[in-house]
Amino acid sequence: FFFSSRRRHTRQRSVSWARRCVQETVMIETPIELRQGYIITYGDSSMVVKMEIGFKVQLKFLDGPKSDQSFTYHQNDGVIKVGRNLDCEIKFDDSGVSRYQCCIYWKNDKWYIEDGYNGRTSTNGTWLYLDGFFQIKDNVKFKAGQTIFLARILKPNQAYPLKSTRCFY
């Protein structure tokens, strides 16, 4: 199954554009491969991913406390930790960001991002803005506006018991 968000046509990426982006997102719960133009959101921050020649990745913040700041990393830089801890390469002094919000790393000739670090997930999650199609897997959480949905993939002729479940993030 695929979830599709409407593609937005904007000439300039600005703070107001970044705030509109967070309306259709999917929670990063397993490592995902980073791609050119992906927008990652957490706390009050949004960063856009730019893949550079020579196995480099650039992370540019669109809004939040690091607005307009860019960070460039090479494949040999090791794990790039983002969060409040002193050992984070991208450090925040924001209580809305976890000690280890997310980490970015090079593996098998690709850049990956995952929520949290070293087996521990962040408190409020790390989200990927959807701009096009994204494959939905069983138990994936995605957000449209302020509503969080849990996707359940059912087998043919399988009924899903209806019960009220509330998620708070």
Side-chain angles (χ1 to χ4, degrees):
F1 292 97
F2 291 89
F3 178 79
S4 173
S5 68
R6 185 179 43 183
R7 190 168 194 86
R8 290 173 173 44
H9 299 283
T10 306
R11 291 177 190 229
Q12 181 181 14
R13 292 186 175 174
S14 64
V15 172
S16 61
W17 183 83
R19 287 193 180 121
R20 284 197 313 264
C21 289
V22 298
Q23 298 303 310
E24 298 158 341
T25 55
V26 64
M27 183 180 262
I28 297 172
E29 295 186 297
T30 59
I32 62 164
E33 180 185 343
L34 282 179
R35 297 187 187 246
Q36 178 77 13
Y38 269 9
I39 296 175
I40 310 297
T41 66
Y42 46 85
D44 292 332
S45 298
S46 299
M47 64 182 180
V48 65
V49 175
K50 180 180 177 189
M51 309 306 271
E52 295 188 354
I53 297 174
F55 310 110
K56 292 181 183 178
V57 65
Q58 181 185 67
L59 309 170
K60 181 176 181 181
F61 284 87
L62 302 173
D63 61 359
K66 298 202 179 297
S67 182
D68 293 327
Q69 292 183 37
S70 293
F71 299 86
T72 302
Y73 297 96
H74 191 270
Q75 67 178 8
N76 298 327
D77 287 337
V79 177
I80 303 151
K81 298 177 291 290
V82 178
R84 292 190 335 254
N85 259 14
L86 293 175
D87 66 337
C88 289
E89 285 70 24
I90 302 177
K91 187 176 177 329
F92 285 85
D93 293 321
D94 178 358
S95 62
V97 174
S98 293
R99 285 179 281 219
Y100 293 112
Q101 181 64 47
C102 62
C103 64
I104 298 166
Y105 55 90
W106 178 261
K107 182 178 177 182
N108 299 328
D109 295 330
K110 297 177 184 174
W111 286 100
Y112 289 88
I113 184 169
E114 68 179 83
D115 183 54
Y117 173 66
N118 212 16
R120 293 196 63 187
T121 59
S122 69
T123 301
N124 295 315
T126 302
W127 298 81
L128 169 65
Y129 165 64
L130 299 178
D131 189 17
F133 288 98
F134 186 83
Q135 184 174 3
I136 297 293
K137 298 176 182 170
D138 196 32
N139 288 319
V140 166
K141 294 179 186 97
F142 64 95
K143 183 172 20 175
Q146 293 301 310
T147 305
I148 297 174
F149 298 89
L150 175 65
R152 296 303 318 256
I153 309 298
L154 303 177
K155 295 177 184 170
N157 300 322
Q158 179 184 7
Y160 185 73
L162 295 176
K163 59 182 175 181
S164 177
T165 304
R166 292 186 179 192
C167 295
F168 298 97
Y169 292 94

